[in-house]
Amino acid sequence: MPVELRYEKCCLTALLSGEIDHHSAAFLRGEIDAALARLHPPLLCLDFDGVTFMDSSAVGLVMGRYKYLRGFDGALEVVNLSPAAYRMMRLSNLQSLAKLAQKQPEKREKVQP
Amino acid sequence: MSKTKHTLLNQMKLELDSHSVNESFARAAVAAFAAQLDPTVEELTEIKTAVSEAVTNCIVHGYPACCGKITIWAGIYHGGQFRVWVKDRGVGIADIAQARQPLFTTLSEERAGLGFAVMESFMDRIKVRSKPGGGTTVTLEKEIRGRAQ
């Protein structure tokens, strides 16, 4: 599964994995939005720990969820970003809309094909 | 003849249908070709990301209503210079300067409008040639310093 959703302590966590591009983002958007519509969580945490590749489609995914959450005053957190992912998020000034956190250095050893 | 940074040492070309499922194949193919330069993981990620942006642009913007052909060429030059061009024969871009502005997008679909900004940030040089109705060619260049450095 490219996304696993968990809801506990008023926080919906989406554990993303694999590659996020324009092709895969549509599926992820559908899964996350269905859970947001059902739960209206005060906090959504998008966890990129299992993401092995992303392009700007993932930034679009994050921005879209931010807009969705604003509809019911939900907050957004994006965690475990690789250095390249963090750079891309900052290109769109996402740090002013959501809390962004990079992966811990010792967890960066994911080699891509 | 002495080798300069303009001496082409190796090249590859591939043609794909503009189906979004081909995005991952396109970037993986270019990355696999670039691997002979012994790039760092970071350099390889940057190439894959830039190619993914260029190919997605062809699919989303070049051929918005139909399926067309995307041609990708990659070349390795003397001294570790890597060049890729991604070409479609789609609708073209009327105002290239506007299209390259960060956060600019013509689509209501969930697009960040960052494609060109990411290509510029991750590669050394980017060139865009396009005319309405005449398709678009994006050329990306990067010097690969590699893991030996």
Side-chain angles (χ1 to χ4, degrees):
Chain A
M1 278 293 284
V3 60
E4 188 185 322
L5 295 156
R6 288 181 192 160
Y7 188 55
E8 49 189 18
K9 294 178 186 163
C10 297
C11 175
L12 175 66
T13 302
L15 298 160
L16 303 160
S17 60
E19 303 201 332
I20 305 181
D21 60 13
H22 156 251
H23 182 72
S24 63
F27 172 80
L28 297 172
R29 186 162 59 233
E31 293 290 301
I32 297 167
D33 284 2
L36 287 177
R38 198 171 66 245
L39 300 164
H40 277 206
L43 177 66
L44 170 67
C45 176
L46 296 172
D47 188 336
F48 278 69
D49 193 32
V51 173
T52 52
F53 170 84
M54 62 163 259
D55 64 18
S56 70
S57 306
V59 181
L61 182 76
V62 174
M63 285 169 80
R65 305 300 61 72
Y66 169 76
K67 286 178 193 160
Y68 196 124
L69 285 158
R70 257 196 337 199
F72 51 89
D73 287 329
L76 177 64
E77 227 177 68
V78 187
V79 301
N80 284 322
L81 291 165
S82 70
Y86 186 71
R87 254 168 87 188
M88 267 186 273
M89 296 287 172
R90 287 185 65 93
L91 277 176
S92 67
N93 209 25
L94 260 170
Q95 70 278 12
S96 64
L97 310 177
K99 190 180 155 196
L100 303 184
Q102 290 198 71
K103 237 178 233 198
Q104 292 305 305
E106 66 271 17
K107 293 170 77 181
R108 277 186 197 163
E109 297 304 317
K110 217 158 266 175
V111 177
Q112 301 198 357
Chain B
M1 199 176 77
S2 68
K3 286 180 178 174
T4 71
K5 63 177 184 174
H6 304 293
T7 308
L8 181 60
L9 303 177
N10 195 6
Q11 58 184 314
M12 73 101 180
K13 194 174 185 177
L14 62 100
E15 191 173 77
L16 306 160
D17 283 348
S18 65
H19 300 304
S20 65
V21 71
N22 288 333
E23 290 159 4
S24 60
F25 169 71
R27 63 178 176 260
V30 175
F33 181 71
Q36 62 194 282
L37 284 165
D38 200 21
T40 62
V41 171
E42 193 180 11
E43 286 169 333
L44 209 52
T45 299
E46 289 168 343
I47 290 170
K48 276 179 83 172
T49 311
V51 170
S52 196
E53 299 294 348
V55 171
T56 302
N57 274 354
C58 299
I59 294 167
V60 175
H61 299 283
Y63 303 111
C66 61
C67 178
K69 297 288 180 203
I70 300 170
T71 311
I72 301 170
W73 175 91
I76 290 168
Y77 291 80
H78 183 68
Q81 199 66 29
F82 189 65
R83 186 182 292 169
V84 187
W85 55 249
V86 178
K87 178 181 181 177
D88 68 60
R89 297 166 193 81
V91 300
I93 304 169
D95 187 339
I96 295 172
Q98 185 187 44
R100 289 178 69 159
Q101 288 294 312
L103 307 180
F104 175 82
T105 181
T106 51
L107 293 176
S108 53
E109 192 200 346
E110 214 163 71
R111 303 294 312 153
L114 283 182
F116 284 121
V118 168
M119 288 183 248
E120 281 167 10
S121 168
F122 284 12
M123 302 296 280
D124 297 338
R125 271 173 302 283
I126 154 172
K127 199 166 77 187
V128 184
R129 273 192 14 227
S130 186
K131 62 177 180 189
T136 301
T137 303
V138 173
T139 306
L140 305 163
E141 277 181 39
K142 189 175 184 69
E143 186 188 334
I144 304 301
R145 293 184 174 85
R147 287 189 292 186
Q149 297 280 315

